[in-house]
Amino acid sequence: MVSRVIPVDAFDLVLFGATGDLARRKIWPGLFHRFLAGQFNNDSRILGVSRSELSREEFQDKVRAALEPIEESEHDCVERFLSQVDYISIDATGDRGWKPLAKAIRPDVIRAFYLSVAPSFFGPIAARLKQSGIATDDSRIVVEKPFGNDLKSARALNAELRTYFQEHQIYRIDHYLGKETVQNLMALRFANSLFEPLWNSSHIDHVQITVAESLSVDGRGEYYDQSGAMRDMVQNHLMQLLCLTAMEPPSQFTPNAVRNEKLKVIEALKEVPIDDIARGQYRAAGEQGSYREHAGNPNSITESFVAMKVDVANWRWAGTPFYLRTGKCLRERLSEIAVYFRNPPHMIFPGIDTPHGNVLVIRLQPDEGMTLHTTIKDPGPGGMRLTEASLDMTFADSLKDSEKPQDAYERLIMDVIRGDQTLFMRGDEVEAAWAWADPIIASWTDRPIKPQQYDVGSAGPEDALLLMHKDGRRWRTIGQ
Ligand code: NAP
């Protein structure tokens, strides 16, 4: 498989929060990989911005450290990359540093402002960029999650950003959308004639969307306790995966056509009855503290796990539930969408049950790829026995002769420079997702219900199993 790197036009990318955790773990390595791949040339620059007063050299040392480990052959490239990196210390809420930024930014290249800072800075930075003339009408502004913590705050944030930037300039990141598999899901559905005729409730029994994490919230428990799995994962990442699985084919692959279809899915979601939701909190195990210890809140009723059955009330999906589940401290780190096709209407092999129906599994992590589980004859003598065979498409295997798969952040940052908003959330989508999530969250706070405890390294609380069991279905296994 040949990979094509299409170079982007020259840019000035101003990265606010350039010394932060996200920049160190994702953004700097991502930019460096794109530089190595030849996607941007010597005319482009990255201006790191944060509050600390650092010299250019001190800052570049931080960036160099973020790129470790570097292969021997890449040392020269790191220095060439760093020669395009500069630093300005700016106080986002004060006057310091804005004039130097206005002077440094160039008039004749693409301008992008990436706000990898706390959401409370989004408004003040946007205002300052616009009022000082640093941001022009074709500049781009990128904002990180979380985008609000309920409908009211998301609306306020949208209104604030739109005071200074137009919607076509605003890039709201959900890094799940930048994953190779997510785009492949669209290719699979809309560039093949095999699946789309079957992609409806007549042929699909149900869909399971799982985002399981093996790590605890230790270290960020206080922050997490204000949010919980519903706000942190379901309202954004799982919602986006649901939308891409359930949406109608857009008329064209353009940002607004795709996002219009995603919005229609969110608007078609039924209110979720409380009985169709399971919530959990992990308990202590050996050295590992409990959720409540990590959150520093012995009475916390915030969920570190949530599973629910969601109905999409439209012609295509009536009668086909979507089961969502996500949690911390589970057996394995795993994100996948599993599409369960209905069994054949009539079994012609007497005395033999179909051992496994057809299941299409779209894996986001680890090992991005897809597997189609099929039923075949068990090879060899001994009469007619059926067994399962899997058609496996692991993307890393297909790419090994060309280049490593891109991290989601690499792809998304280059999309910002290209001006392509397809893989970014539009303001109305975010608001619709909060409008759906808010009543669910309110039902837990209005009538406080303790989440059920579950073991570290398990698949979640008992209630999640029962949620499936009462429908005569089973979750896919997490881990071995
Ligand atoms: P962080 O490690 O706390 O870094 C915050 C950054 O903001 C630092 O560079 C800091 O500069 C800068 N900053 C703070 N106050 C400032 C001010 N008054 N003026 C200018 N700069 C200021 O945060 P983070 O984890 O990187 O997260 C950044 C954003 O990404 C947040 O919105 C977060 O929710 C989101 N996010 C993070 C992750 C993640 O894995 N970390 C994942 C998804 C989304 P100094 O170092 O100089 O103080």
Side-chain angles (χ1 to χ4, degrees):
M1 191 180 289
V2 178
S3 98
R4 276 191 316 142
V5 173
I6 303 169
V8 294
D9 292 339
F11 61 82
D12 275 356
L13 172 65
V14 182
L15 175 58
F16 288 85
T19 54
D21 177 66
L22 184 67
R24 181 174 52 75
R25 290 191 306 106
K26 292 288 180 189
I27 304 174
W28 289 114
L31 284 164
F32 180 56
H33 288 154
R34 289 300 89 210
F35 174 80
L36 279 183
Q39 197 148 25
F40 57 88
N41 60 22
N42 301 340
D43 293 338
S44 294
R45 284 184 329 174
I46 304 149
L47 299 170
V49 168
S50 74
R51 192 174 34 178
S52 310
E53 307 231 23
L54 301 170
S55 67
R56 186 178 190 224
E57 289 67 34
E58 284 169 328
F59 178 68
Q60 288 187 340
D61 285 345
K62 283 183 186 288
V63 178
R64 197 179 282 109
L67 305 182
E68 302 282 0
I70 301 163
E71 288 172 24
E72 189 69 34
S73 59
E74 291 173 356
H75 276 250
D76 280 357
C77 302
V78 171
E79 297 315 310
R80 280 198 290 118
F81 174 70
L82 288 177
S83 71
Q84 294 176 235
V85 172
D86 216 329
Y87 180 72
I88 302 177
S89 166
I90 293 183
D91 181 359
T93 51
D95 290 331
R96 181 165 52 81
W98 291 98
K99 278 195 184 141
L101 177 60
K103 236 170 117 184
I105 200 129
R106 297 172 295 170
D108 47 354
V109 295
I110 293 164
R111 295 180 186 195
F113 304 97
Y114 191 140
L115 311 195
S116 178
V117 289
S120 56
F121 291 126
F122 293 172
I125 294 177
R128 203 64 191 242
L129 288 171
K130 187 68 184 172
Q131 286 157 358
S132 59
I134 297 171
T136 50
D137 287 347
D138 55 2
S139 298
R140 287 125 214 202
I141 187 161
V142 185
V143 292
E144 264 299 335
K145 92 168 211 191
F147 198 88
N149 55 16
D150 56 13
L151 177 58
K152 189 167 165 230
S153 55
R155 272 191 182 143
L157 205 46
N158 270 334
E160 201 171 15
L161 286 175
R162 287 183 191 136
T163 308
Y164 311 107
F165 291 84
Q166 294 177 55
E167 184 60 40
H168 71 85
Q169 299 178 275
I170 305 171
Y171 292 72
R172 297 174 192 79
I173 288 215
D174 183 322
H175 70 275
Y176 270 60
L177 291 177
K179 288 182 182 286
E180 184 78 17
T181 324
V182 164
Q183 288 154 86
N184 232 315
L185 171 59
M186 287 191 275
L188 182 91
R189 287 192 57 195
F190 306 133
N192 292 283
S193 52
L194 183 62
F195 290 104
E196 200 48 28
L198 306 179
W199 210 259
N200 55 54
S201 60
S202 303
H203 300 282
I204 294 178
D205 178 69
H206 72 282
V207 177
Q208 298 185 16
I209 301 181
T210 300
V211 179
E213 293 175 278
S214 53
L215 294 177
S216 71
V217 300
D218 199 11
R220 61 180 203 112
E222 266 178 55
Y223 157 79
Y224 188 91
D225 206 42
Q226 304 304 311
S227 118
M230 185 71 190
R231 285 192 173 97
D232 193 46
M233 300 297 293
V234 178
Q235 184 274 344
N236 40 64
H237 303 318
L238 278 87
M239 178 62 70
Q240 289 298 321
L241 299 182
L242 187 157
C243 284
L244 291 166
T245 310
M247 73 184 191
E248 294 298 316
S251 59
Q252 323 163 43
F253 191 59
T254 56
N256 277 336
V258 171
R259 297 184 301 174
N260 287 345
E261 296 306 335
K262 280 163 56 196
L263 177 63
K264 285 185 209 162
V265 174
I266 306 174
E267 288 174 341
L269 296 180
K270 277 197 195 164
E271 208 173 293
V272 185
I274 205 149
D275 290 346
D276 284 347
I277 305 177
R279 296 169 77 224
Q281 265 183 355
Y282 59 84
R283 55 167 73 97
E287 304 270 284
Q288 155 94 58
S290 67
Y291 172 78
R292 289 178 175 188
E293 283 160 1
H294 290 161
N297 179 1
N299 300 315
S300 171
I301 57 160
T302 302
E303 73 289 349
S304 62
F305 175 99
V306 65
M308 62 177 70
K309 175 175 153 183
V310 177
D311 286 315
V312 184
N314 65 17
W315 196 284
R316 185 187 283 260
W317 293 115
T320 294
F322 285 69
Y323 296 92
L324 314 183
R325 94 184 135 157
T326 181
K328 304 282 182 194
C329 275
L330 299 179
R331 197 171 297 137
E332 188 183 57
R333 178 169 171 263
L334 167 88
S335 298
E336 64 175 31
I337 303 166
V339 180
Y340 281 71
F341 289 87
R342 294 193 190 280
N343 283 332
H346 170 64
M347 187 43 80
I348 65 163
F349 306 107
I352 303 173
D353 286 337
T354 308
H356 308 272
N358 294 129
V359 184
L360 176 67
V361 181
I362 300 143
R363 268 186 326 278
L364 287 91
Q365 60 193 22
D367 308 327
E368 287 197 61
M370 297 188 195
T371 305
L372 178 62
H373 297 275
T374 59
T375 299
I376 59 163
K377 179 189 170 292
D378 199 359
M384 191 63 170
R385 291 187 313 270
L386 301 184
T387 188
E388 191 213 311
S390 301
L391 305 177
D392 192 21
M393 299 165 266
T394 302
F395 301 148
D397 291 347
S398 354
L399 287 170
K400 63 178 175 253
D401 292 332
S402 44
E403 66 162 24
K404 288 185 240 169
Q406 286 181 57
D407 181 75
Y409 276 91
E410 298 179 37
R411 172 175 294 113
L412 293 175
I413 296 170
M414 288 301 109
D415 279 358
V416 171
I417 304 300
R418 273 191 285 263
D420 184 347
Q421 291 183 304
T422 311
L423 301 176
F424 296 83
M425 295 179 296
R426 209 170 53 191
D428 50 2
E429 263 184 89
V430 179
E431 289 183 17
W434 279 122
W436 172 80
D438 272 2
I440 297 173
I441 297 167
S443 72
W444 301 332
T445 39
D446 293 350
R447 195 160 56 97
I449 303 170
K450 281 190 190 159
Q452 198 180 34
Q453 301 281 300
Y454 63 91
D455 288 334
V456 171
S458 69
E462 191 75 15
D463 281 355
L465 302 180
L466 295 177
L467 176 73
M468 275 292 196
H469 196 69
K470 70 179 181 185
D471 289 348
R473 299 183 174 110
R474 292 174 61 174
W475 289 108
R476 276 174 55 77
T477 308
I478 298 176
Q480 296 308 313

